[in-house]
Amino acid sequence: MSVEQAQRTVNQLHKDIADLEKKMAGLVKKEADKTKRIGVVQKSITKNTSVSMLKNKDRQIQGYQRDLARLISDKASINNKMAEKRAKLAQTTVKLQKEESSRAKNIERQQNSIYETYEKQIAELSEQVKLQEKFAISDKNVFDSSTEEEYDVFVSHATEDKDSFCDEFVNILKNEHHLNVWYDSLNLKWGDNIRTEIDKRLIKSKFGVVILSKSYIKKYWTNYELEGLFQRETNIGKLILPIWHDITKQEIQNFSPSLAGKMSMNTAIMTPSEIAEKLNELYSSSKERPETER
């Protein structure tokens, strides 16, 4: 039984018990009325009451007593029903508490897993930087890409989202807006070291477009790219441009509150062409500002 089903059952049992209590109150009122009537008839009998009148009053009393017997039987039946409902309510409440506790533990495990992934990625990035500093040759290492091509946009995405959005979006950026885009399908070559290539291209890109989806938040490489972008943004300012793709705000909030707080584009309400146009406008305005203002 799910939390929702258990909650619905608990709500219905509370309603059923309330209805039975209302019926019980009505029966108690009727019982008091019948008892009062019997008392009134009994008091009306005196030594002067005729035999025929006495018989009539005795019939009245017997009728009220039969009514009382039915009322007492109905009360007993309702009491039994209420006892059954209350027992079932107690059992269902225990189940509901267990289901809520289980759900809370699952959410806690998921959050802990996300935090552990973050910590692992940060540790890996730190270790990577240490290794590159340790094995630097003269004044150049894999991060020293002064001779490498610079890119306007680095597109961080999950492979599962290529067909539904990424390929079309990148094609519009390159062919319609003539932006220099780093996109793994276009730039990674057979035999390239993926980690090294990502590190170099992140440093040489003006903006990092992050296409957030259900697949994106689960993958190692996308999280690796995101950590790199966050580190660069800490040093140089605005860099990360989020796009929500088939994902809810709550899912992003659970994954990264800092990303959830950023102004984002959303494929649910905008076409690839419209989002590409917004990016081109942002890129054009950034070129007009002096370097020191960025």
Side-chain angles (χ1 to χ4, degrees), residues 268-282:
I269 57 176
M270 299 180 71
T271 65
S273 181
E274 290 171 335
I275 297 175
E277 178 63 34
K278 289 290 185 183
L279 176 54
N280 185 55
E281 291 174 2
L282 181 62

Side-chain angles (χ1 to χ4, degrees), residues 66-231:
R66 286 193 295 271
D67 291 342
L68 275 175
R70 284 194 296 271
L71 289 170
I72 292 171
S73 175
D74 291 343
K75 283 172 61 181
S77 176
I78 289 178
N79 272 325
N80 289 335
K81 290 180 180 178
M82 284 197 294
E84 292 174 359
K85 296 286 185 182
R86 288 187 174 119
K88 187 174 180 181
L89 175 61
Q91 294 173 354
T92 308
T93 300
V94 171
K95 290 181 181 178
L96 175 60
Q97 291 171 343
K98 288 181 178 178
E99 290 296 333
E100 289 176 335
S101 176
S102 176
R103 175 177 286 185
K105 289 179 180 178
N106 286 336
I107 292 174
E108 184 179 3
R109 281 196 294 269
Q110 291 173 4
Q111 290 176 337
N112 288 338
S113 177
I114 292 173
Y115 294 146
E116 288 172 3
T117 299
Y118 285 163
E119 291 175 356
K120 181 180 178 181
Q121 291 166 357
I122 291 171
E124 289 176 347
L125 284 169
S126 298
E127 185 63 25
Q128 180 71 16
V129 171
K130 290 178 182 177
L131 288 173
Q132 288 163 347
E133 291 175 347
K134 181 177 180 180
F135 296 106
I137 300 175
S138 68
D139 60 346
K140 181 176 181 179
N141 56 33
V142 294
F143 285 105
D144 182 11
S145 51
S146 58
T147 61
E148 297 288 346
E149 180 181 7
E150 292 192 356
Y151 293 89
D152 301 321
V153 182
F154 180 101
V155 178
S156 178
H157 68 291
T159 303
E160 291 81 354
D161 302 319
K162 286 181 179 293
D163 291 339
S164 60
F165 176 76
C166 302
D167 284 349
E168 181 182 357
F169 176 64
V170 170
N171 183 60
I172 294 171
L173 290 177
K174 289 179 65 66
N175 297 324
E176 295 185 18
H177 298 296
H178 308 293
L179 295 179
N180 193 8
V181 182
W182 194 90
Y183 187 54
D184 59 0
S185 299
L186 301 175
N187 301 95
L188 279 180
K189 300 179 180 62
W190 189 6
D192 280 349
N193 183 301
I194 296 177
R195 185 190 296 269
T196 301
E197 288 300 311
I198 288 174
D199 289 339
K200 290 194 294 185
R201 307 316 169 189
L202 283 175
I203 285 181
K204 302 302 289 184
S205 298
K206 293 182 178 65
F207 291 105
V209 171
V210 178
I211 302 172
L212 296 165
S213 68
K214 292 179 175 64
S215 298
Y216 186 97
I217 64 178
K218 298 176 183 177
K219 288 182 169 290
Y220 167 78
W221 281 115
T222 53
N223 278 269
Y224 179 86
E225 293 170 355
L226 184 58
E227 288 297 337
L229 288 169
F230 267 125
Q231 287 194 10

Side-chain angles (χ1 to χ4, degrees), residues 244-265:
W244 296 7
H245 180 58
D246 293 336
I247 193 169
T248 65
K249 182 175 182 179
Q250 187 59 53
E251 287 172 319
I252 295 176
Q253 181 72 37
N254 293 339
F255 170 65
S256 172
S258 58
L259 275 178
K262 278 182 170 288
M263 176 64 183
S264 306
M265 300 292 107

Side-chain angles (χ1 to χ4, degrees), residues 41 44-59:
V41 174
S44 69
I45 299 173
T46 67
K47 61 182 180 179
N48 297 322
T49 303
S50 65
V51 174
S52 60
M53 183 61 71
L54 187 62
K55 289 181 179 180
N56 184 49
K57 289 182 180 296
D58 186 54
R59 284 194 298 272

